[in-house]
Structures are given as C-alpha cells and as structure tokens.
Amino acid sequence: SPNPFNARVRLRLTTRDSRTWHGIIANAAGQVVRHWDVRSEHGSVDWNWDGLNDSGRPVSSGVYLASASDGRDRVWARVSLVR
C-alpha cells in the first residue's frame, strides 16, 4: 500500500478585524525553524508552510508547534509534517 505524503501544512487564522500576525514554527525541541508574517482582513487568512526552514532547507518529518500572535491574541496548533 502507498505511504502517506504531505509536505505542506495549511494554517488558517480567523479574525473579526484586520490584523498582522507574526508566527513561528518550532520543532519538538523548541527550536524555531521558520518565521512568518501574514496580514488578515476581516474573516480568515491561510498560510501554507512548505516544510522548509528559514534557510530554505527541508526539515525532517515530525510534530511541530505553529504559533501566531498579533500582539493581543496568540493561537497555536500542533502540526505533523510527513514526507
């Protein structure tokens, strides 16, 4: 049977107003592997993580913590990256 493969993770932020979100992706050891910024308008915005670190190199499969903050609110999610 085929092995699962998913080298992208989609994160969705939903807000009631316009905000700029600053986010990170951290590995299980707590090391930040990726930083990102996204602007949301009223409603929701998606940010797709391509499985690369800030240097453009692929990270290994595993569980990561995605965290985003706009200075008022913070959201986080545990995400799995499977290669």
Side-chain angles (χ1 to χ4, degrees):
S1 75
N3 291 328
F5 180 86
N6 186 0
R8 292 191 180 273
V9 175
R10 183 178 63 141
L11 305 168
R12 174 167 283 174
L13 299 167
T14 303
T15 65
R16 289 186 275 254
D17 53 8
S18 298
R19 299 181 184 194
T20 298
W21 294 90
H22 307 285
I24 62 162
I25 303 289
N27 63 20
Q31 299 165 317
V32 176
V33 297
R34 184 76 180 258
H35 296 85
W36 53 275
D37 294 312
V38 66
R39 176 94 181 139
S40 68
E41 299 302 326
H42 177 74
S44 65
V45 63
D46 291 340
W47 181 77
N48 293 301
W49 179 40
D50 52 11
L52 302 179
N53 65 18
D54 281 338
S55 299
R57 294 189 180 106
V59 299
S60 60
S61 295
V63 177
Y64 291 83
L65 175 69
S67 176
S69 174
D70 69 348
R72 293 183 296 185
D73 296 317
R74 176 174 298 278
V75 295
W76 65 272
R78 218 175 305 194
V79 296
S80 296
L81 180 67
V82 179
R83 293 198 180 276

